[in-house]
Amino acid sequence: MLEIKNLHASIEGKEILKGINFKVNAGEVHAIMGPNGSGKSTLAQVLAGRKEYEVTKGEVVFEGKNLLELSPEDRAREGIFLAFQYPVEIPGVSNTNLLKTALNEIRRYRGLEQLDAMEFLTHLKKKTKLVEMDQALLSRAVNDGFSGGEKKRNEILQMAVLEPKLSILDETDSGLDIDALRIVANGVNKLKSHERATVVVTHYQRLLNYIVPDFVHVLYNGKIVKSGGKELAFELEEKGYDWLKEQKELV
Amino acid sequence: MVERAEGTRITMNQNSDIKTWYIKNFETFENNLNGESTKPIHQIRREAISNFSKLNFPTNHDEEWRFTSISPILKFNFELGERVDLKTSQIKKYLFKEIKGNILVFVNGYFSPSLSIIKKYSDGIKVGSISEEIKNNSSIINQHLGKYANYREQIFTALSTAFTIDGAFIYIPDNKIIEEPVQVLFITSSFGKKIISQPRNLYVAGKNSQATIIERYVSLDEGVYFSNVVTEIIAGENSKFEHIKLQEESSSSFHISRTEVDQERASNFTSYSISFGGEIARHDINSRFNDEGGECSLNGLYLIRGNQLYDTHSLIDHAKPFCNSHENYKGILDDNSRGVFNGKVIVRRNAQKTNAFQENKNIILSSGALVNTKPQLEIFADDVKCSHGATIGQLNEDSMFYLKSRGIGEEKAKAILIHAFASDVVKTINVEEVKKYLEEILEKRFNK
C-alpha cells in the first residue's frame, strides 16, 4: 500500500529525515517509535503533504501513485489520513460542517454521489458512537475550546467518518488519561480491516497495549535504526532509547 | 474643471472649482423649491451652503482623512439626479421577501410612493419620507433634523444638509413597537449620467420603543455616481433600536456616509455596517451617551477587492457613567483594495463604570491589499474597563493545511475560513433573511 524509499526531508535547510525506508501493506499496523526530535512527526507531516518540509531525495509510492506529486487534499482523497499531534482549533467552522464538506469532497474525487444531509447524519451518528463522543461537540466549532482528550477523540472521529485506507496517528496518545486512551484505541481497533492500514507514531509503549502493532520501527536521528515485532516495543519501554543510540554510534 | 487629480493631493483649484460647482447647483435647486423656501428647514439649508462655501474638502493632510484620498470624487461635476419611474420587477431582487414590514424605496434620492409599501398606523407611528414631512411642516423635523450631524465643520455633511431633499423618516412614539423590520432601499439608476444623491434619514425612537431598520444602497447599473448620506438617529429612553446598513453600490461609485446616534438613558442601539461596494466608501458613525445605562454595539463587515477603498471612522462618546459599548469590525481584503479603520472611544471624566470593548480584525488575501487600523482610546475617568485590539493577517496556514489534509481543496478551504472569520459579525444579526443573504454572498464570493 505504502512504500517509502530513501526519503530525505528538511525544513529551513536543516535535514530531519535522512533516508527512511519502510513498507506498509494493507491490513497491517505499524508503530514508529523514537525519542523526541528523531523525526517521527516530520515523517507524518511529510506524508500528509505539509509544504514547509522539503523532500530532497527519495520517493513515496501510495497505491501505485507517486504521493509526493499530490497536493495535501488529493492525498487525503486518495485515502491518507493524518491524526494531528496538535489538532488545529478553527473557530466559526462547525465540526459537522467540516466533516460533511470533507467527506463529500473525497466522494466527489472518487466519483461517488454526494451524501445529502440525512444520509450524512446517519453516517455521522454511527461513527460518533464508535468513538464515544459527546453529540454536543459535533455542533461546536472545530476543536474550539475542546480539552486535550476531546481534540484527540475528534481526530479519531474524523478518521472514522472519512474511512481512509491509511491512517497515520501522530502521537495521538500524548496527553491522554487512561480512559481517553482506551476510547481512542478502541476507535482505531474497530476501524481495522484487511483493506486498511494504520501507522501509529508514538513516544511511549503504553498505547501499544491497546493498539497492537504487527511491526515496530525505531526512528533515530532521521533514520529507522531498528525494526521488529511488537516485542521490540516492550524492549524499548524497559531499556529506554539510550541503548539504541549507543548501538548506532558503534555502527 | 481642471483635471489634475492624479496624485493624493487636491489642488487648490480643484477644491474651489468643485465647490463653486456645487454652490451654483444650490442656486438652481433653491430656485426650483416653489414656496418651500419659507420653511424653517430652508434656513438650515442656507446656513449649510454658507458653511460649505467656507469649508474645504479634506486632503491627506487632515488627520481624519490621512489614508483616504477623495480627489477621485472631486474630478467629477456630479449633478442632481432625475426622478425615474422604475417597475416593481426591477427592484424586487433588492428586497427581502420574507420580511412583511414597511418598505421605503428611493430612486436617485427621491421617494417613490408607487414602489413603497407603507402600513397604516393608528397609534402615531410614522413611516414615510422626509420630503413629505417637510411639506407638512412636521414638528419632529423641525425639532431634530440637522441637530446631530455637524454641518458646521464637516464639509460632506454641510453639502448633504444644504441639499436636504428626501430620505427615510421614521418616528416611533413612546411605548410603541414596529414589529417587522423596515426596509429602506436607495437605488440609483443613472443611465450613465454622473449624478449625486444625498439621502437624508431621520429616525426618532421614543421612550420604551423598538424598531429595526434595514437600509440598503444599490444601483441598477455599474455607473459612476456619488451617494452622500447622512442619517440621524435618536434612541429615546429605554428604547431598542437596530440599524442594519448594507452598502452594495456600484464598484465605480462613491459613497460617503455619516450616521449620528443620540442615546438617551438605558437605550440600546445596535448597528451593522456591511460594505461591499463603491470605489471609495467611507462611513463615519458616531454615538453619544447622553445619560446613564446605555448600550451601544457597533458591528462592521467590509468585503472589498479590486481597487476599492473602505474607510470606517467611529466615535463612541461615553459622556455619562454606567454605559457599555462593544465594537467589532471585520475586514476581508483582496487584490489591491485598501481598508481604513479608526475607532475612537472617549470616556469623559465623570463616566465611571464604563465598559468599552473594541476590536478590528482584518484578513488580507493578496499581497497588494493594505489596511491602516488605529484604535484611539481617550480615557479621563479612572474606574472603567476598556480594551481594544486590532489585527491584520493572512489566512492561518495551519488551519488551511488542516482542512486540506481532510480532503478539502484550496478554494473551498479558503471559503470556509473566510466564512468563519466573518461569522461572528454575521451570526449576531437578528434578521434571519439578512443573515442568510450575507452568508450566501460570502459563499459565492470565495467558493468558486
Side-chain angles (χ1 to χ4, degrees), chain A residues 7 9 20 32 34 40-41 65 83-85 114 119 130 137 147 166 168 179 182 198 242:
Chain A
L7 182 67
I20 302 268
I32 296 178
K40 299 188 303 285
S41 280
K65 283 189 178 134
F84 280 53
Q85 183 180 3
Q114 302 284 290
E119 289 166 326
L130 197 84
L137 293 180
S147 71
L166 174 68
I168 304 160
D179 291 328
R182 203 177 289 136
T198 311
D242 288 348

Side-chain angles (χ1 to χ4, degrees), chain B residues 184-436:
Chain B
V184 182
L185 178 65
F186 290 99
I187 188 159
T188 300
S189 172
S190 56
F191 301 108
K193 271 177 103 179
K194 300 199 168 31
I195 65 167
I196 180 170
S197 59
Q198 310 202 58
R200 181 80 197 201
N201 306 314
L202 178 65
Y203 307 132
V204 182
K207 210 196 255 185
N208 303 320
S209 69
Q210 192 175 323
T212 297
I213 314 293
I214 302 161
E215 235 173 71
R216 204 163 169 190
Y217 297 84
V218 300
S219 115
L220 283 187
D221 35 56
E222 272 293 303
V224 177
Y225 59 87
F226 178 19
S227 297
N228 183 28
V229 185
V230 175
T231 301
E232 290 171 295
I233 300 171
I234 296 94
E237 187 179 332
N238 208 35
S239 65
K240 188 169 176 1
F241 197 89
E242 197 160 318
H243 184 239
I244 302 170
K245 177 173 182 253
L246 305 173
Q247 188 273 103
E248 305 164 86
E249 306 261 33
S250 129
S251 58
S252 43
S253 73
F254 307 108
H255 183 98
I256 303 279
S257 151
R258 168 175 300 277
T259 304
E260 291 285 342
V261 188
D262 182 80
Q263 290 198 244
E264 298 307 322
R265 177 181 286 265
S267 60
N268 187 330
F269 174 74
T270 302
S271 149
Y272 290 92
S273 187
I274 313 290
S275 201
F276 303 135
E279 181 182 322
I280 295 174
R282 158 126 171 179
H283 189 200
D284 282 74
I285 178 160
N286 303 333
S287 186
R288 182 185 155 90
F289 292 113
N290 277 326
D291 211 330
E292 297 176 3
E295 300 272 341
C296 177
S297 162
L298 305 184
N299 307 280
L301 175 66
Y302 40 103
L303 182 64
I304 50 177
R305 58 185 164 184
N307 290 311
Q308 288 182 293
L309 182 150
Y310 181 67
D311 178 344
T312 298
H313 268 64
S314 71
L315 163 64
I316 299 178
D317 187 348
H318 282 268
K320 296 288 170 180
F322 302 107
C323 293
N324 299 324
S325 67
H326 184 106
E327 197 169 0
N328 184 17
Y329 268 73
K330 295 217 156 172
I332 299 162
L333 299 96
D334 206 349
D335 304 329
N336 295 310
S337 61
R338 299 222 294 122
V340 181
F341 178 85
N342 190 298
K344 197 170 180 174
V345 175
I346 302 178
V347 182
R348 305 218 179 244
R349 199 179 301 274
N350 67 337
Q352 302 295 6
K353 304 290 178 190
T354 288
N355 283 312
F357 168 85
Q358 181 188 86
E359 192 170 76
N360 171 234
K361 286 189 173 175
N362 297 279
I363 282 189
I364 297 213
L365 298 172
S366 97
S367 57
L370 181 76
V371 177
N372 293 101
T373 176
K374 185 174 140 196
Q376 214 181 329
L377 266 56
E378 295 176 12
I379 303 168
F380 302 101
D382 52 17
D383 187 11
V384 301
K385 272 189 217 152
C386 297
S387 72
H388 63 82
T391 60
I392 303 165
Q394 284 146 359
L395 286 177
N396 186 301
E397 279 295 323
D398 289 334
S399 305
M400 279 296 281
F401 179 64
Y402 191 72
L403 294 177
K404 285 186 196 171
S405 77
R406 271 44 181 155
I408 298 171
E410 170 95 22
E411 290 301 320
K412 200 154 216 164
K414 229 186 200 178
I416 288 174
L417 293 180
I418 289 168
H419 184 269
F421 174 76
S423 76
D424 73 339
V425 169
V426 173
K427 78 179 178 203
T428 58
I429 295 178
N430 283 323
V431 186
E432 211 47 48
E433 209 181 346
V434 173
K435 198 191 310 187
K436 246 192 257 162

Side-chain angles (χ1 to χ4, degrees), chain A residues 162-222:
Chain A
L162 302 179
E163 299 176 329
K165 291 179 195 152
L166 174 68
S167 303
I168 304 160
L169 311 183
D170 187 6
E171 306 224 8
T172 299
D173 53 330
S174 59
L176 290 189
D177 62 42
I178 200 74
D179 291 328
L181 188 71
R182 203 177 289 136
I183 291 167
V184 163
N186 200 17
V188 174
N189 288 332
K190 280 187 190 154
L191 294 167
K192 239 173 20 188
S193 82
H194 293 301
E195 293 104 56
R196 289 187 202 151
T198 311
V199 174
V200 180
V201 175
T202 182
H203 187 72
Y204 308 104
Q205 185 269 334
R206 195 178 59 151
L207 177 66
L208 305 180
N209 290 335
Y210 301 97
I211 303 173
V212 182
D214 302 302
F215 302 95
V216 175
H217 310 276
V218 181
L219 192 63
Y220 177 68
N221 199 18

